[in-house]
């Protein structure tokens, strides 16, 4: 079923990007493995990141990425059939083991599995702490880690900002790094640190070489504070995430 669903979705996305003149630049496409399993690991700055990270793998090697995503998306009447048809992997945040096992099976079967190790969108647009799941999946499946950095996608639709899906001429960088192969004695915690360090260097390069500039003083929200923008710092963003999680928990308890 996936082969009937995935290509039209990719085609529709590419058509929309062309209509909006989204200026996509893919760097490092040669690092996409032609075959075999791989854990595609991307930073997370936009609700559209799965489209762009998946596009990098598709353009680079015609690989279709099966992303791990929260199961709420699979229950939606519109997105649900598409997500299932593209063989993405639903994650129940109260019990992630079935999703983990499904991902490892997909990797062993030669699929590319997409993971956002920060778990949620980074409000600071810098790298948050990484969870070790991607490294553990790579270790259990024998598949390499494939680091991917996105930049510019936050201008289209991100957390705490209105959708600007009709914004034109937005440059988007998709940077794919060299695969990281795990040895038999590599520990997931140490591998995760190595992965995050590599992706931090990639993010710095993507930001430094990015051709887009704020249109004026009111358009600096999408730039990190350390680059002179008005996005919250990592510390402030983390506090906002904690407050949001607490408020959600209280709402669930009240419904309860």
């Amino acid at each position: 079923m996936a082969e009937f669903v995935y290509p039209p979705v990719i085609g529709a996305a590419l058509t929309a990007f062309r209509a909006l003149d989204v200026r996509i630049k893919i760097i490092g496409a040669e690092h996409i493995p032609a075959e075999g399993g791989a854990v595609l690991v991307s930073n997370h700055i936009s609700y559209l990141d799965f489209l762009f990270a998946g596009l990098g793998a598709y353009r680079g090697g015609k690989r279709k990425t099966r992303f791990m995503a929260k199961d709420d998306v699979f229950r939606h009447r519109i997105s649900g059939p598409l997500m299932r048809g593209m063989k993405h992997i639903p994650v129940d945040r109260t019990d992630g083991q079935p999703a983990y096992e499904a991902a490892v099976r997909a990797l062993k079967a030669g699929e590319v599995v997409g993971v956002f190790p920060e778990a949620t969108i980074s409000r600071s647009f810098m790298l948050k702490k990484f969870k070790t799941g991607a490294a553990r999946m790579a270790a259990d499946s024998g598949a390499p880690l494939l680091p991917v950095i996105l930049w510019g996608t936050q201008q289209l639709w991100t957390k705490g900002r209105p959708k600007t899906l009709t914004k034109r001429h937005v440059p988007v960088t998709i940077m794919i790094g060299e695969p990281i192969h795990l040895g038999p004695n590599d520990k997931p915690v140490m591998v995760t640190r190595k992965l995050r360090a590599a992706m931090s260097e990639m993010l710095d390069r993507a930001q430094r070489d990015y051709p887009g500039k704020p249109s004026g003083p009111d358009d600096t929200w999408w730039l990190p504070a350390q680059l002179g923008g008005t996005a919250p710092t990592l510390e402030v963003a983390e506090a906002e995430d904690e407050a949001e999680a607490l408020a959600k928990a209280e709402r669930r308890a009240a419904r309860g």
Side-chain angles (χ1 to χ4, degrees):
M1 182 179 178
E3 305 315 314
F4 292 104
V5 177
Y6 220 125
V9 170
I10 292 172
L14 289 173
T15 298
F17 296 156
R18 282 193 294 268
L20 294 172
D21 190 31
V22 178
R23 298 173 180 178
I24 300 171
K25 182 177 182 180
I26 300 176
I27 302 167
E30 68 275 10
H31 297 311
I32 300 293
E35 58 184 17
V39 186
L40 187 155
V41 186
S42 174
N43 66 322
H44 203 6
I45 54 176
S46 163
Y47 290 110
L48 303 177
D49 287 341
F50 71 98
L51 285 174
F52 288 99
L55 177 61
Y58 189 75
R59 283 258 184 97
K62 297 298 180 184
R63 303 300 305 273
K64 299 178 181 68
T65 305
R66 318 302 179 181
F67 282 95
M68 302 184 76
K70 60 183 180 180
D71 56 2
D72 291 354
V73 183
F74 291 78
R75 291 195 292 267
H76 191 276
R77 63 184 181 87
I78 296 175
S79 63
L82 293 175
M83 296 293 282
R84 289 189 294 272
M86 289 185 283
K87 292 186 179 178
H88 295 313
I89 301 170
V91 180
D92 181 346
R93 292 194 176 182
T94 64
D95 181 13
Q97 188 61 28
Y100 179 89
E101 293 172 356
V104 171
R105 286 196 299 271
L107 290 164
K108 288 182 176 180
E111 298 276 12
V112 177
V113 173
V115 178
F116 296 107
E118 299 165 281
T120 60
I121 290 174
S122 172
R123 300 172 191 262
S124 70
F125 309 128
M126 301 300 293
L127 296 182
K128 299 170 60 176
K129 294 177 182 177
F130 280 17
K131 296 183 180 298
T132 60
R136 290 189 291 111
M137 283 191 290
D140 286 346
S141 65
L145 293 163
L146 189 65
V148 173
I149 283 293
L150 306 174
W151 192 246
T153 62
Q154 72 271 35
Q155 294 190 64
L156 297 171
W157 186 16
T158 193
K159 182 178 287 188
R161 299 287 306 185
K163 294 180 188 178
T164 51
L165 298 179
T166 57
K167 187 173 182 179
R168 296 177 58 78
H169 316 306
V170 174
V172 168
T173 299
I174 303 170
M175 185 178 292
I176 303 160
E178 294 184 11
I180 297 174
H181 296 271
L182 278 65
N185 298 319
D186 286 337
K187 304 298 183 184
V189 171
M190 298 306 296
V191 172
T192 300
R193 289 177 183 171
K194 178 181 178 181
L195 172 67
R196 190 179 183 280
M199 290 178 64
S200 182
E201 291 180 5
M202 291 168 61
L203 178 58
D204 179 69
R205 182 152 58 97
Q207 291 172 339
R208 188 172 61 247
D209 297 341
Y210 186 67
K213 305 295 180 186
S215 60
D218 296 328
D219 188 40
T220 60
W221 62 267
W222 56 271
L223 279 177
Q226 68 185 57
L227 295 180
T230 52
T233 62
L234 272 170
E235 293 75 18
V236 171
E238 184 176 345
E240 291 176 352
D241 286 340
E242 290 175 355
E244 181 181 72
L246 179 60
K248 286 181 178 179
E250 290 175 345
R251 289 196 296 270
R252 284 196 297 268
R255 291 195 299 265

